Amino acid sequence: MKQQQINKSAISYLLTGLQLIRQPGLRLFVILPLLTNFLLFSGGLFWLFSSLDAMTQGIINQLPEWLSWLSYLIWPLAIITILLVFSFIFGMVANWLAAPFNGLLAEQVEQRLTGQQSQEVSIRMLIKDIPRLFLREWQKFLYFLPRALFCLLLFFVPVLGQTLAPVLWLLFCGWMAAIQYCDYPFDNHKIPFHTMRAQLREHKTVNMTFGVLVTLLTSIPLLNLFIMPIAICGATAMWVDRYRQ
């Protein structure tokens, strides 16, 4: 049974997450992050589409004159790159604001999957825990920032920035998405951030695949409103299968 669980794929964990968010006892913990996502998404999407043409043209203008004939090929890559960058920033801000509720959702999912009761969480306990949760999000941000800057600088390198950089950015976003969503059950058990990253690397293929799928789904309008709770539930199912013991 344990070997079957370990052999589960990233897609199966996402499907498990989709099943879990529809269960009655978890709906309250799903609705609150959804409301956060909706408010952010509405404003962010309006800004993105009002600026998309100018940003895309700016990327195309980075091409040398002798490679201007590539603009028709680079145009869709530029749009995909902008959508990926937007989806990651959108997801990061949403995760900061919804962190307390995301931790509760992961806790409730783990309790349901393992059958073990956790202590009842009061509003007072939740408020008291907010500084620790924000500190954890800050650790993620400090891990993300220098690596993101390196990836983004690659976009300004002629040719390389319009071909290889989008692929590297997608892989990096996938790894960060795996860290973001898998961290909630790890953090609920007070496992240090660096220990969590080391354990994720032991199953890097499934975690990277999981994160890339989440990143791609986050870039799809409307669907990205629901991907956060699905990813948290799926990542918690992965925690129970692979890391809890």
Side-chain angles (χ1 to χ4, degrees):
M1 180 64 178
K2 187 65 178 177
Q3 188 61 38
Q4 271 188 328
Q5 291 175 335
I6 291 179
N7 287 335
K8 288 174 67 175
S9 67
I11 294 178
S12 68
Y13 284 120
L14 281 175
L15 293 175
T16 299
L18 180 60
Q19 294 173 346
L20 286 167
I21 67 168
R22 294 180 291 178
Q23 297 188 11
L26 299 176
R27 287 176 184 169
L28 175 63
F29 302 98
V30 171
I31 290 172
L32 292 173
L34 279 179
L35 289 176
T36 303
N37 264 356
F38 177 76
L39 293 175
L40 285 173
F41 175 73
S42 301
L45 194 63
F46 175 80
W47 172 82
L48 177 65
F49 281 106
S50 63
S51 310
L52 186 60
D53 187 64
M55 289 189 292
T56 305
Q57 191 59 52
I59 293 177
I60 298 298
N61 290 340
Q62 298 296 320
L63 283 174
E65 186 66 29
W66 58 279
L67 287 177
S68 58
W69 59 276
L70 280 175
S71 59
Y72 292 104
L73 298 176
I74 299 301
W75 190 271
L77 279 177
I79 293 177
I80 291 172
T81 299
I82 292 169
L83 288 174
L84 287 175
V85 172
F86 169 78
S87 67
F88 187 83
I89 294 174
F90 166 79
M92 184 174 64
V93 174
N95 283 320
W96 272 72
L97 296 178
F101 305 108
N102 292 341
L104 284 176
L105 175 59
E107 182 179 331
Q108 293 297 315
V109 169
E110 182 179 346
Q111 176 181 323
R112 184 164 296 236
L113 293 175
T114 61
Q116 295 184 358
Q117 295 292 323
S118 60
Q119 63 176 344
E120 187 175 349
V121 179
S122 65
I123 297 296
R124 182 178 179 182
M125 291 172 61
L126 179 60
I127 294 174
K128 184 179 179 181
D129 214 28
I130 285 177
R132 185 187 62 80
L133 293 171
F134 281 171
L135 178 61
R136 188 77 166 202
E137 294 299 320
W138 180 249
Q139 286 180 295
K140 296 175 196 175
F141 179 72
L142 292 180
Y143 176 83
F144 156 79
L145 185 59
R147 294 162 179 81
L149 290 176
F150 172 77
C151 290
L152 292 175
L153 286 174
L154 291 179
F155 282 95
F156 295 97
V157 179
V159 184
L160 178 67
Q162 288 76 39
T163 53
L164 184 60
V167 177
L168 292 177
W169 179 255
L170 174 61
L171 294 176
F172 172 67
C173 287
W175 177 241
M176 284 304 305
I179 288 176
Q180 180 66 55
Y181 294 111
C182 290
D183 185 52
Y184 292 115
F186 276 94
D187 185 43
N188 284 341
H189 290 269
K190 308 299 188 293
I191 295 175
F193 183 62
H194 66 277
T195 304
M196 180 271 298
R197 296 201 322 268
Q199 292 193 19
L200 292 187
R201 282 195 291 268
E202 293 179 5
H203 300 271
K204 193 165 188 176
T205 300
V206 68
N207 283 305
M208 181 69 82
T209 306
F210 180 86
V212 167
L213 288 172
V214 170
T215 301
L216 292 174
L217 292 172
T218 304
S219 65
I220 301 175
L222 298 182
L223 181 58
N224 59 4
L225 294 176
F226 301 92
I227 193 59
M228 180 193 292
I230 293 173
I232 293 168
C233 293
T236 305
M238 191 188 304
W239 151 267
V240 172
D241 288 351
R242 297 170 180 264
Y243 303 108
R244 185 170 178 273
Q245 299 301 325

